[in-house]
Protein backbone atom coordinates (compact mmCIF):
# COMPACT_ATOMS: atom_id res chain seq x y z
CA UNK A 1 0.00 0.00 0.00
CA UNK A 2 2.76 2.45 0.93
CA UNK A 3 5.48 1.37 -1.55
CA UNK A 4 9.21 1.06 -0.78
CA UNK A 5 9.63 4.69 0.33
CA UNK A 6 6.64 4.49 2.66
CA UNK A 7 7.86 1.22 4.22
CA UNK A 8 11.28 2.69 4.97
CA UNK A 9 9.74 5.80 6.50
CA UNK A 10 7.34 3.72 8.58
CA UNK A 11 10.24 1.67 9.92
CA UNK A 12 12.21 4.81 10.77
CA UNK A 13 9.30 6.35 12.65
CA UNK A 14 8.51 3.12 14.48
CA UNK A 15 12.07 3.14 15.81
CA UNK A 16 11.71 6.59 17.38
CA UNK A 17 11.41 6.68 21.18
CA UNK A 18 7.99 7.48 22.62
CA UNK A 19 8.68 10.85 24.17
CA UNK A 20 7.67 14.46 23.58
CA UNK A 21 10.45 17.04 23.87
CA UNK A 22 13.80 16.28 22.22
CA UNK A 23 17.32 16.98 23.43
CA UNK A 24 19.39 19.95 22.35
CA UNK A 25 21.34 17.89 19.81
CA UNK A 26 18.14 16.96 17.98
CA UNK A 27 16.76 20.50 18.29
CA UNK A 28 19.96 21.85 16.70
CA UNK A 29 18.88 20.20 13.45
CA UNK A 30 16.14 22.84 13.10
CA UNK A 31 17.38 25.35 10.57
CA UNK A 32 20.10 22.91 9.46
CA UNK A 33 19.15 19.62 7.76
CA UNK A 34 15.60 20.31 8.94
CA UNK A 35 13.70 23.51 8.19
CA UNK A 36 12.94 25.79 11.16
CA UNK A 37 9.55 24.04 11.48
CA UNK A 38 10.95 20.52 11.27
CA UNK A 39 10.53 19.47 7.63
CA UNK A 40 13.29 17.84 5.63
CA UNK A 41 15.15 20.76 4.08
CA UNK A 42 16.53 18.67 1.20
CA UNK A 43 14.56 17.61 -1.83
CA UNK A 44 13.97 13.98 -2.71
CA UNK A 45 16.40 11.71 -4.55
CA UNK A 46 14.33 11.79 -7.74
CA UNK A 47 14.44 15.58 -7.91
CA UNK A 48 10.64 15.78 -8.08
CA UNK A 49 10.52 17.53 -4.68
CA UNK A 50 12.97 20.46 -4.45
CA UNK A 51 14.78 21.71 -1.34
CA UNK A 52 13.02 24.22 0.91
CA UNK A 53 14.71 27.60 0.45
CA UNK A 54 12.64 29.83 2.73
CA UNK A 55 9.21 29.87 1.12
CA UNK A 56 7.68 32.25 -1.37
CA UNK A 57 7.90 36.06 -1.22
CA UNK A 58 5.18 38.46 -2.35
CA UNK A 59 5.28 39.05 -6.12
CA UNK A 60 6.17 42.49 -7.42
CA UNK A 61 3.21 44.83 -7.27
CA UNK A 62 1.41 43.01 -4.50
CA UNK A 63 -0.19 45.17 -1.79
CA UNK A 64 -2.08 44.01 1.32
CA UNK A 65 -5.79 43.84 0.59
CA UNK A 66 -5.34 42.33 -2.86
CA UNK A 67 -6.43 38.81 -3.70
CA UNK A 68 -3.05 37.15 -3.65
CA UNK A 69 -1.61 36.93 -7.17
CA UNK A 70 -0.27 33.58 -8.32
CA UNK A 71 3.55 33.57 -8.16
CA UNK A 72 3.58 30.35 -10.16
CA UNK A 73 1.16 31.32 -12.92
CA UNK A 74 3.81 30.50 -15.52
CA UNK A 75 4.05 26.85 -14.48
CA UNK A 76 2.83 24.27 -16.98
CA UNK A 77 0.90 21.12 -16.10
CA UNK A 78 3.31 18.19 -15.79
CA UNK A 79 0.64 15.52 -16.18
CA UNK A 80 -2.98 14.78 -15.48
CA UNK A 81 -4.39 12.04 -13.25
CA UNK A 82 -7.83 10.57 -13.91
CA UNK A 83 -9.55 7.22 -13.68
CA UNK A 84 -7.64 5.94 -16.71
CA UNK A 85 -4.17 6.13 -15.11
CA UNK A 86 -4.97 5.43 -11.46
CA UNK A 87 -2.83 2.31 -11.64
CA UNK A 88 0.22 4.50 -12.25
CA UNK A 89 -0.44 7.15 -9.59
CA UNK A 90 -2.79 5.46 -7.11
CA UNK A 91 -0.10 4.96 -4.44
CA UNK A 92 0.33 8.75 -4.30
CA UNK A 93 -3.36 9.52 -3.69
CA UNK A 94 -5.64 9.37 -0.64
CA UNK A 95 -8.20 6.57 -0.85
CA UNK A 96 -10.98 9.16 -0.94
CA UNK A 97 -9.48 10.87 -3.98
CA UNK A 98 -9.19 7.56 -5.81
CA UNK A 99 -12.87 6.93 -5.08
CA UNK A 100 -13.78 10.39 -6.38
CA UNK A 101 -11.83 9.85 -9.60
CA UNK A 102 -13.40 6.45 -10.15
CA UNK A 103 -16.89 7.82 -9.54
CA UNK A 104 -16.72 10.80 -11.92
CA UNK A 105 -15.17 10.09 -15.36
CA UNK A 106 -14.63 13.78 -16.13
CA UNK A 107 -12.90 14.58 -12.84
CA UNK A 108 -9.11 14.86 -12.90
CA UNK A 109 -6.09 16.26 -11.11
CA UNK A 110 -3.75 18.72 -12.78
CA UNK A 111 -0.28 18.08 -11.39
CA UNK A 112 2.22 20.95 -11.44
CA UNK A 113 5.88 21.33 -10.41
CA UNK A 114 6.35 21.16 -6.65
CA UNK A 115 6.84 24.58 -5.03
CA UNK A 116 7.71 24.58 -1.34
CA UNK A 117 6.17 27.99 -0.67
CA UNK A 118 5.26 27.73 3.04
CA UNK A 119 6.75 30.40 5.32
CA UNK A 120 5.93 32.04 8.67
CA UNK A 121 7.44 34.97 10.62
CA UNK A 122 10.89 34.54 12.15
CA UNK A 123 9.47 34.72 15.67
CA UNK A 124 7.47 31.53 14.97
CA UNK A 125 10.67 29.78 13.89
CA UNK A 126 12.37 30.99 17.08
CA UNK A 127 9.49 29.84 19.28
CA UNK A 128 9.48 26.45 17.55
CA UNK A 129 13.15 25.96 18.39
CA UNK A 130 12.37 26.71 22.05
CA UNK A 131 9.33 24.42 22.06
CA UNK A 132 11.34 21.49 20.68
CA UNK A 133 13.20 21.08 23.99
CA UNK A 134 10.39 22.13 26.34
CA UNK A 135 6.98 21.04 25.01
CA UNK A 136 5.30 18.00 26.52
CA UNK A 137 1.96 16.27 26.24
CA UNK A 138 -0.18 16.30 29.38
CA UNK A 139 -3.58 14.93 30.40
CA UNK A 140 -3.22 11.77 28.29
CA UNK A 141 -2.49 13.85 25.22
CA UNK A 142 -5.48 16.16 25.62
CA UNK A 143 -3.27 19.14 26.39
CA UNK A 144 0.30 20.41 26.17
CA UNK A 145 2.65 22.30 28.42
CA UNK A 146 5.90 24.15 27.88
CA UNK A 147 4.97 25.56 24.47
CA UNK A 148 3.58 28.75 22.98
CA UNK A 149 3.55 30.58 19.64
CA UNK A 150 5.49 28.06 17.55
CA UNK A 151 5.02 24.45 16.52
CA UNK A 152 5.07 22.42 19.76
CA UNK A 153 6.64 19.21 18.39
CA UNK A 154 8.71 20.00 15.28
CA UNK A 155 10.45 16.61 15.52
CA UNK A 156 7.36 14.48 16.25
CA UNK A 157 7.47 10.96 17.61
CA UNK A 158 3.78 10.11 17.81
CA UNK A 159 0.59 10.71 15.92
CA UNK A 160 -0.91 12.86 18.65
CA UNK A 161 2.09 15.20 18.47
CA UNK A 162 1.59 15.67 14.72
CA UNK A 163 -2.09 16.50 15.25
CA UNK A 164 -1.19 19.06 17.92
CA UNK A 165 1.24 20.60 15.43
CA UNK A 166 -1.67 21.03 13.03
CA UNK A 167 -4.06 22.40 15.64
CA UNK A 168 -1.51 24.99 16.75
CA UNK A 169 0.19 25.86 13.45
CA UNK A 170 0.46 29.55 12.69
CA UNK A 171 -2.58 31.24 11.09
CA UNK A 172 -1.83 34.88 11.93
CA UNK A 173 -2.54 36.91 15.05
CA UNK A 174 -6.06 38.03 14.16
CA UNK A 175 -8.15 38.31 11.03
CA UNK A 176 -11.39 39.64 9.62
CA UNK A 177 -12.79 37.92 6.55
CA UNK A 178 -16.00 37.75 4.56
CA UNK A 179 -16.50 34.51 2.70
CA UNK A 180 -19.11 32.00 1.64
CA UNK A 181 -19.85 28.38 2.26
CA UNK A 182 -21.75 26.17 -0.17
CA UNK A 183 -23.96 23.20 0.62
CA UNK A 184 -24.27 21.09 -2.53
CA UNK A 185 -27.14 18.60 -2.37
CA UNK A 186 -28.41 16.74 -5.41
CA UNK A 187 -26.09 18.77 -7.61
CA UNK A 188 -27.53 22.13 -6.50
CA UNK A 189 -25.50 24.63 -4.50
CA UNK A 190 -26.90 26.91 -1.82
CA UNK A 191 -24.63 29.65 -0.49
CA UNK A 192 -24.34 31.30 2.90
CA UNK A 193 -22.22 34.44 3.35
CA UNK A 194 -20.56 34.98 6.71
CA UNK A 195 -18.67 37.91 8.22
CA UNK A 196 -15.98 36.32 10.41
CA UNK A 197 -13.46 37.42 13.04
CA UNK A 198 -10.72 35.32 14.66
CA UNK A 199 -8.37 36.28 17.49
CA UNK A 200 -5.53 33.81 18.02
CA UNK A 201 -4.10 33.55 21.53
CA UNK A 202 -1.53 30.75 21.25
CA UNK A 203 0.46 32.28 18.36
CA UNK A 204 0.59 35.88 19.53
CA UNK A 205 3.87 37.76 19.66
CA UNK A 206 5.44 37.57 23.11
CA UNK A 207 3.09 34.77 24.22
CA UNK A 208 4.40 32.36 26.85
CA UNK A 209 2.93 29.13 28.12
CA UNK A 210 2.17 30.80 31.44
CA UNK A 211 0.08 33.47 29.72
CA UNK A 212 -2.09 31.09 27.66
CA UNK A 213 -4.68 30.34 30.36
CA UNK A 214 -5.63 27.20 28.41
CA UNK A 215 -6.82 29.23 25.41
CA UNK A 216 -6.16 28.67 21.68
CA UNK A 217 -8.41 31.24 20.02
CA UNK A 218 -11.65 33.19 19.94
CA UNK A 219 -13.96 33.10 16.91
CA UNK A 220 -17.25 34.65 15.81
CA UNK A 221 -19.30 35.06 12.68
CA UNK A 222 -22.47 36.77 11.52
CA UNK A 223 -24.51 35.55 8.56
CA UNK A 224 -25.20 38.32 6.04
CA UNK A 225 -26.92 36.30 3.27
CA UNK A 226 -29.35 34.78 2.38
CA UNK A 227 -31.99 37.06 3.86
CA UNK A 228 -33.76 34.28 5.78
CA UNK A 229 -30.60 33.63 7.82
CA UNK A 230 -29.20 37.14 7.92
CA UNK A 231 -28.27 38.28 11.41
CA UNK A 232 -27.75 34.79 12.79
CA UNK A 233 -24.47 34.83 14.69
CA UNK A 234 -22.14 32.60 16.66
CA UNK A 235 -19.25 33.13 19.06
CA UNK A 236 -16.78 30.47 20.23
CA UNK A 237 -14.17 30.46 22.99
CA UNK A 238 -11.73 27.64 22.24
CA UNK A 239 -9.54 26.13 25.00
CA UNK A 240 -6.41 24.07 24.40
CA UNK A 241 -7.39 21.16 26.67
CA UNK A 242 -11.07 20.73 25.81
CA UNK A 243 -11.52 17.86 28.23
CA UNK A 244 -10.41 20.02 31.16
CA UNK A 245 -12.43 23.02 29.95
CA UNK A 246 -15.31 22.50 27.52
CA UNK A 247 -15.47 24.68 24.43
CA UNK A 248 -17.97 27.49 24.98
CA UNK A 249 -20.27 28.60 22.16
CA UNK A 250 -23.23 30.94 21.98
CA UNK A 251 -25.65 31.50 19.09
CA UNK A 252 -27.72 34.60 18.41
CA UNK A 253 -31.09 34.25 16.69
CA UNK A 254 -32.56 37.36 15.04
CA UNK A 255 -36.05 35.85 15.25
CA UNK A 256 -36.31 36.38 18.99
CA UNK A 257 -33.16 38.50 19.48
CA UNK A 258 -31.81 36.12 22.08
CA UNK A 259 -28.35 34.70 22.72
CA UNK A 260 -28.33 31.05 23.77
CA UNK A 261 -25.48 28.87 25.01
CA UNK A 262 -25.11 25.85 22.75
CA UNK A 263 -25.02 22.58 24.69
CA UNK A 264 -22.28 21.23 22.40
CA UNK A 265 -20.26 22.39 19.42
CA UNK A 266 -17.59 19.71 19.34
CA UNK A 267 -16.77 16.27 17.98
CA UNK A 268 -19.52 15.13 15.60
CA UNK A 269 -22.19 17.62 16.62
CA UNK A 270 -23.35 19.25 13.41
CA UNK A 271 -22.22 22.71 12.43
CA UNK A 272 -25.13 25.17 12.23
CA UNK A 273 -26.28 26.12 8.72
CA UNK A 274 -24.54 23.21 6.93
CA UNK A 275 -27.63 21.05 6.24
CA UNK A 276 -26.03 18.22 8.19
CA UNK A 277 -23.03 17.92 5.85
CA UNK A 278 -20.30 19.07 8.26
CA UNK A 279 -19.50 18.17 11.85
CA UNK A 280 -17.96 20.63 14.29
CA UNK A 281 -14.54 18.99 14.25
CA UNK A 282 -13.96 19.14 10.46
CA UNK A 283 -13.37 22.92 10.52
CA UNK A 284 -9.72 23.50 9.55
CA UNK A 285 -9.71 19.77 8.63
CA UNK A 286 -9.60 18.87 12.33
CA UNK A 287 -10.03 20.86 15.51
CA UNK A 288 -10.93 20.34 19.14
CA UNK A 289 -10.24 17.61 21.67
CA UNK A 290 -8.36 14.53 20.43
CA UNK A 291 -9.53 12.28 23.28
CA UNK A 292 -12.00 10.11 21.35
CA UNK A 293 -9.32 8.62 19.10
CA UNK A 294 -6.12 6.63 19.27
CA UNK A 295 -3.57 8.35 17.04
CA UNK A 296 -1.04 6.25 15.14
CA UNK A 297 1.87 7.78 13.26
CA UNK A 298 2.28 5.84 9.99
CA UNK A 299 5.31 7.79 8.80
CA UNK A 300 5.82 10.00 5.76
CA UNK A 301 4.79 9.51 2.16
CA UNK A 302 5.34 11.40 -1.07
CA UNK A 303 1.83 12.18 -2.26
CA UNK A 304 -0.10 14.34 -4.70
CA UNK A 305 -1.74 17.02 -2.58
CA UNK A 306 -3.67 20.26 -3.19
CA UNK A 307 -1.08 23.02 -2.96
CA UNK A 308 -0.50 26.63 -4.04
CA UNK A 309 -4.16 26.95 -4.94
CA UNK A 310 -3.95 30.52 -6.22
CA UNK A 311 -5.97 29.91 -9.41
CA UNK A 312 -9.15 29.10 -7.47
CA UNK A 313 -8.48 32.04 -5.12
CA UNK A 314 -8.40 34.82 -7.73
CA UNK A 315 -10.74 37.80 -7.58
CA UNK A 316 -13.94 37.84 -9.61
CA UNK A 317 -14.48 34.16 -10.34
CA UNK A 318 -18.20 33.34 -10.10
CA UNK A 319 -18.88 30.87 -7.31
CA UNK A 320 -20.92 28.65 -9.63
CA UNK A 321 -17.80 28.37 -11.80
CA UNK A 322 -15.88 26.98 -8.83
CA UNK A 323 -18.66 24.91 -7.25
CA UNK A 324 -19.91 22.41 -9.78
CA UNK A 325 -22.72 19.87 -9.29
CA UNK A 326 -20.51 17.02 -8.03
CA UNK A 327 -17.05 18.45 -7.31
CA UNK A 328 -15.05 21.64 -7.37
CA UNK A 329 -14.00 22.67 -10.87
CA UNK A 330 -10.85 20.59 -11.48
CA UNK A 331 -9.51 23.10 -14.00
CA UNK A 332 -9.10 25.65 -11.18
CA UNK A 333 -7.26 23.32 -8.80
CA UNK A 334 -3.54 22.64 -8.48
CA UNK A 335 -1.88 19.48 -7.15
CA UNK A 336 1.79 18.94 -6.40
CA UNK A 337 3.99 16.12 -5.08
CA UNK A 338 4.82 16.78 -1.41
CA UNK A 339 6.03 14.85 1.60
CA UNK A 340 3.25 14.48 4.13
CA UNK A 341 3.02 12.91 7.56
CA UNK A 342 0.34 10.21 7.63
CA UNK A 343 -1.60 9.83 10.87
CA UNK A 344 -4.43 7.36 11.41
CA UNK A 345 -7.05 8.05 14.07
CA UNK A 346 -9.14 5.11 15.31
CA UNK A 347 -12.16 5.64 17.52
CA UNK A 348 -11.59 4.42 21.06
CA UNK A 349 -13.89 1.85 22.62
CA UNK A 350 -16.70 3.44 24.58
CA UNK A 351 -16.83 6.56 22.39
CA UNK A 352 -19.12 7.41 19.51
CA UNK A 353 -18.48 9.47 16.40
CA UNK A 354 -19.76 9.63 12.84
CA UNK A 355 -16.22 8.77 11.70
CA UNK A 356 -14.86 5.55 13.14
CA UNK A 357 -11.49 5.99 11.43
CA UNK A 358 -9.75 8.96 9.83
CA UNK A 359 -6.50 9.04 7.91
CA UNK A 360 -4.82 12.45 7.88
CA UNK A 361 -2.21 13.73 5.42
CA UNK A 362 -0.27 16.62 6.99
CA UNK A 363 2.10 18.90 5.07
CA UNK A 364 5.66 18.62 6.40
CA UNK A 365 6.43 22.28 5.59
CA UNK A 366 3.47 23.98 7.30
CA UNK A 367 1.86 21.28 9.50
CA UNK A 368 -1.48 22.01 7.81
CA UNK A 369 -3.73 19.03 7.09
CA UNK A 370 -4.14 18.78 3.32
CA UNK A 371 -6.45 15.76 3.00
CA UNK A 372 -8.40 13.30 5.16
CA UNK A 373 -9.93 9.89 4.37
CA UNK A 374 -13.09 9.25 6.41
CA UNK A 375 -14.47 5.81 7.32
CA UNK A 376 -17.64 4.65 9.09
CA UNK A 377 -18.07 2.01 11.79
CA UNK A 378 -18.19 -0.75 9.16
CA UNK A 379 -14.81 0.26 7.82
CA UNK A 380 -16.33 1.67 4.63
CA UNK A 381 -14.80 4.75 3.04
CA UNK A 382 -17.49 7.43 3.21
CA UNK A 383 -15.76 10.79 2.83
CA UNK A 384 -12.83 12.87 1.66
CA UNK A 385 -11.74 16.22 3.02
CA UNK A 386 -9.34 18.51 1.17
CA UNK A 387 -7.71 21.79 2.09
CA UNK A 388 -6.55 23.99 -0.81
CA UNK A 389 -3.82 26.26 0.60
CA UNK A 390 -1.96 29.38 -0.44
CA UNK A 391 0.70 31.58 1.12
CA UNK A 392 -0.74 34.80 2.51
CA UNK A 393 2.26 37.01 1.83
CA UNK A 394 1.32 39.92 4.07
CA UNK A 395 1.49 37.87 7.28
CA UNK A 396 3.21 35.57 6.12
CA UNK A 397 1.45 32.28 6.70
CA UNK A 398 0.36 29.22 4.75
CA UNK A 399 -3.26 28.19 5.12
CA UNK A 400 -6.34 27.07 3.21
CA UNK A 401 -8.26 29.31 0.86
CA UNK A 402 -10.91 26.61 0.32
CA UNK A 403 -11.93 23.52 2.28
CA UNK A 404 -14.13 20.74 0.94
CA UNK A 405 -15.82 17.67 2.37
CA UNK A 406 -17.12 15.12 -0.14
CA UNK A 407 -19.78 12.60 0.92
CA UNK A 408 -18.92 9.56 -1.18
CA UNK A 409 -22.15 7.64 -0.64
CA UNK A 410 -24.72 10.21 -1.82
CA UNK A 411 -22.51 12.52 -3.90
CA UNK A 412 -23.29 15.64 -1.83
CA UNK A 413 -20.51 17.92 -0.66
CA UNK A 414 -19.67 20.97 1.43
CA UNK A 415 -17.36 23.89 0.59
CA UNK A 416 -16.09 26.64 2.88
CA UNK A 417 -13.96 29.72 2.21
CA UNK A 418 -15.28 31.14 -1.08
CA UNK A 419 -14.03 34.74 -1.09
CA UNK A 420 -13.42 35.60 -4.76
CA UNK A 421 -16.05 38.33 -4.79
CA UNK A 422 -15.47 39.66 -1.29
CA UNK A 423 -12.86 42.00 0.24
CA UNK A 424 -9.62 40.20 1.01
CA UNK A 425 -8.69 39.24 4.56
CA UNK A 426 -7.70 41.98 6.98
CA UNK A 427 -4.90 40.69 9.21
CA UNK A 428 -4.50 44.02 11.03
CA UNK A 429 -8.05 44.34 12.37
CA UNK A 430 -8.19 45.58 15.97
CA UNK A 431 -9.60 42.82 18.17
CA UNK A 432 -9.39 41.57 21.74
CA UNK A 433 -10.92 38.82 23.89
CA UNK A 434 -13.75 41.14 24.98
CA UNK A 435 -15.01 41.14 21.40
CA UNK A 436 -15.88 37.45 21.71
CA UNK A 437 -18.26 37.35 24.68
CA UNK A 438 -21.99 36.58 24.52
CA UNK A 439 -22.58 40.22 25.41
CA UNK A 440 -20.52 41.33 22.42
CA UNK A 441 -22.53 38.95 20.24
CA UNK A 442 -25.73 40.67 21.33
CA UNK A 443 -24.23 44.15 20.83
CA UNK A 444 -23.15 43.25 17.32
CA UNK A 445 -26.71 42.46 16.25
Amino acid sequence: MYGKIGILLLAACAALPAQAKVDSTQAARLGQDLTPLGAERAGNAAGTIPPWTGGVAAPAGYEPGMHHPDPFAGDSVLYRVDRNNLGEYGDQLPEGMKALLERYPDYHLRVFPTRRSAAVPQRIYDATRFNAVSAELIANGNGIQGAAAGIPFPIPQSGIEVIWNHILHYKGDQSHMINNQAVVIGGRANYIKRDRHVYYVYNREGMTYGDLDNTVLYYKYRVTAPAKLSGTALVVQDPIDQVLTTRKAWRYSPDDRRVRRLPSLAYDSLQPDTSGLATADVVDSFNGAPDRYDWELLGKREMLMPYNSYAVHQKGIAYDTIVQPRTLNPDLLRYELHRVWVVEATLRKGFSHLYDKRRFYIDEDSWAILAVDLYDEKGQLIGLQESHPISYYDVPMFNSTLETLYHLKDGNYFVDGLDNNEPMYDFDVKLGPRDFSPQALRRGN
Side-chain angles (χ1 to χ4, degrees):
M1 176 181 175
Y2 293 102
K4 292 181 180 179
I5 293 175
I7 290 171
L8 290 172
L9 288 167
L10 251 66
C13 286
L16 291 172
Q19 60 183 19
K21 56 188 177 182
V22 299
D23 62 29
S24 58
T25 301
Q26 283 287 87
R29 298 174 60 198
L30 298 172
Q32 301 298 321
D33 66 301
L34 301 180
T35 72
L37 294 189
E40 297 172 51
R41 182 184 288 271
N44 64 357
T48 49
I49 296 176
W52 183 83
T53 57
V56 69
Y62 171 75
E63 295 180 3
M66 295 172 60
H67 281 68
H68 301 76
D70 187 352
F72 311 122
D75 286 352
S76 298
V77 176
L78 295 176
Y79 54 91
R80 185 175 127 149
V81 180
D82 57 31
R83 66 188 300 182
N84 297 314
N85 58 1
L86 272 180
E88 184 176 358
Y89 297 106
D91 284 347
Q92 296 178 335
L93 295 173
E95 295 300 312
M97 176 52 70
K98 289 192 281 187
L100 207 65
L101 290 167
E102 289 170 346
R103 180 171 188 154
Y104 301 119
D106 295 333
Y107 193 65
H108 57 272
L109 307 184
R110 301 185 308 151
V111 180
F112 289 82
T114 299
R115 305 287 192 172
R116 296 179 68 180
S117 52
V120 295
Q122 182 62 44
R123 66 178 181 84
I124 303 299
Y125 297 142
D126 296 340
T128 298
R129 176 69 178 271
F130 174 83
N131 292 344
V133 296
S134 62
E136 295 181 289
L137 296 169
I138 58 173
N140 296 318
N142 296 319
I144 63 169
Q145 68 179 10
I151 297 299
F153 307 111
I155 306 176
Q157 293 151 70
S158 65
I160 188 67
E161 290 178 22
V162 173
I163 289 302
W164 274 114
N165 288 348
H166 163 75
I167 291 171
L168 299 174
H169 79 279
Y170 184 66
K171 307 178 191 74
D173 291 349
Q174 62 276 320
S175 57
H176 172 226
M177 66 208 83
I178 299 172
N179 54 29
N180 298 260
Q181 63 183 40
V183 172
V184 187
I185 297 177
R188 180 180 177 181
N190 291 294
Y191 299 95
I192 296 178
K193 182 184 291 190
R194 298 193 294 185
D195 189 317
R196 294 164 148 174
H197 293 81
V198 190
Y199 180 89
Y200 297 98
V201 177
Y202 176 87
N203 298 119
R204 301 197 73 76
E205 186 167 5
M207 183 57 62
T208 67
Y209 173 74
D211 295 331
L212 283 173
D213 194 25
N214 195 33
T215 306
V216 177
L217 59 83
Y218 298 97
Y219 168 69
K220 68 179 178 181
Y221 73 73
R222 180 171 56 88
V223 176
T224 59
K228 65 179 180 180
L229 295 175
S230 184
T232 302
L234 181 79
V235 66
V236 176
Q237 299 174 358
D238 221 19
I240 296 175
D241 184 339
Q242 296 194 15
V243 176
L244 176 66
T245 304
T246 305
R247 171 184 284 160
K248 297 177 182 178
W250 293 267
R251 185 169 169 83
Y252 172 82
S253 172
D255 293 336
D256 57 11
R257 299 184 179 181
R258 293 187 61 185
V259 175
R260 292 182 174 86
R261 172 82 180 265
L262 295 182
S264 176
L265 188 63
Y267 305 112
D268 60 348
S269 63
L270 296 177
Q271 289 185 48
D273 308 321
T274 63
S275 299
L277 292 187
T279 59
D281 62 2
V282 302
V283 176
D284 192 31
S285 298
F286 180 81
N287 72 90
D291 63 310
R292 292 193 180 184
Y293 289 93
D294 289 317
W295 302 86
E296 182 181 3
L297 182 59
L298 300 182
K300 273 188 189 176
R301 293 173 62 185
E302 294 180 3
M303 299 191 67
L304 297 173
M305 290 281 111
Y307 221 89
N308 292 313
S309 305
Y310 295 94
V312 76
H313 167 81
Q314 294 309 300
K315 183 177 181 179
I317 303 175
Y319 297 137
D320 282 342
T321 300
I322 299 171
V323 181
Q324 298 192 334
R326 295 302 179 190
T327 66
L328 295 184
N329 185 343
D331 292 323
L332 291 174
L333 305 181
R334 177 176 175 132
Y335 289 79
E336 300 177 3
L337 185 68
H338 283 266
R339 288 184 294 243
V340 294
W341 291 98
V342 184
V343 174
E344 190 161 281
T346 304
L347 193 66
R348 290 176 172 172
K349 291 183 179 180
F351 289 97
S352 63
H353 197 288
L354 179 63
Y355 304 125
D356 195 77
K357 186 172 73 173
R358 304 157 104 151
R359 189 175 297 127
F360 296 87
Y361 305 90
I362 301 101
D363 177 33
E364 70 165 346
D365 285 333
S366 66
W367 297 103
I369 294 171
L370 299 178
V372 191
D373 291 323
L374 302 169
Y375 296 83
D376 66 12
E377 72 282 355
K378 298 178 181 178
Q380 295 180 334
L381 180 69
I382 60 171
L384 168 70
Q385 291 175 251
E386 285 195 303
S387 173
H388 297 268
I390 65 170
S391 181
Y392 292 82
Y393 318 121
D394 33 348
V395 182
M397 60 100 170
F398 191 77
N399 205 35
S400 63
T401 182
L402 272 186
E403 295 178 16
T404 59
L405 195 165
Y406 294 103
H407 291 250
L408 298 175
K409 284 189 173 181
D410 57 22
N412 298 328
Y413 74 107
F414 175 71
V415 186
D416 196 12
L418 295 156
D419 58 13
N420 309 73
N421 300 291
E422 320 301 337
M424 192 28 55
Y425 293 12
D426 178 3
F427 295 105
D428 294 319
V429 61
K430 303 302 181 184
L431 295 170
R434 293 182 62 185
D435 297 310
F436 297 87
S437 66
Q439 294 77 19
L441 190 65
R442 184 178 292 107
R443 290 195 303 269
N445 291 275

